Amino acid sequence: MKKTVSIIMALTLMALGTVSFSRVASAEEVKMIGVIQKIDLAAGGKSATATLKDNKSGKSVAISITDDLTLDKFKDHRIVEGDEIRCKYETEGGKNHSKLFRKTAGC
């Protein structure tokens, strides 16, 4: 009896450990390097949509940007159409939301 209870307890602890450390249905983060084809800044300046052409696949990807630092770079033309960009984004609700948006150029 004690052995059966011990086995059940061990299996329960293993199952709880597995469930607690697994990721819960979250959006997958995608990394991409591409050239900006188009930038659409919203009227209020609180968001923008940039269309990038992926260097690997050649497909165009529209990415929604809401972080203030990147929006400021759009406004003062530090990032413009034709620049090569390294970005990370998550797809949520059918839209791609930027997590990282930077130029690849060094010096």
Side-chain angles (χ1 to χ4, degrees):
M1 181 71 174
K2 287 183 181 181
K3 192 173 189 177
T4 306
V5 172
S6 296
I7 292 173
I8 291 172
M9 290 297 285
L11 290 174
T12 303
L13 286 174
M14 285 178 28
L16 286 173
T18 303
V19 170
S20 66
F21 289 111
S22 65
R23 292 181 71 176
V24 178
S26 65
E28 183 179 338
E29 191 172 83
V30 179
K31 296 178 184 179
M32 182 177 97
I33 296 176
V35 176
I36 298 177
Q37 294 178 320
K38 185 178 181 182
I39 298 173
D40 292 321
L41 201 57
K46 296 293 182 185
S47 67
T49 301
T51 305
L52 300 177
K53 183 175 182 182
D54 187 5
N55 286 350
K56 288 185 182 178
S57 68
K59 294 181 182 177
S60 293
V61 179
I63 300 173
S64 176
I65 298 141
T66 56
D67 69 287
D68 292 332
L69 180 63
T70 304
L71 293 171
D72 288 342
K73 289 179 182 180
F74 287 159
K75 290 174 190 173
D76 64 11
H77 303 290
R78 285 183 280 164
I79 295 179
V80 294
E81 293 177 10
D83 286 345
E84 187 174 58
I85 299 295
R86 177 182 316 275
C87 72
K88 292 181 185 179
Y89 64 89
E90 290 182 350
T91 303
E92 296 174 7
K95 291 184 81 177
N96 300 322
H97 299 281
S98 172
K99 299 295 175 193
L100 173 81
F101 201 89
R102 292 192 183 137
K103 281 184 166 181
T104 58
C107 307

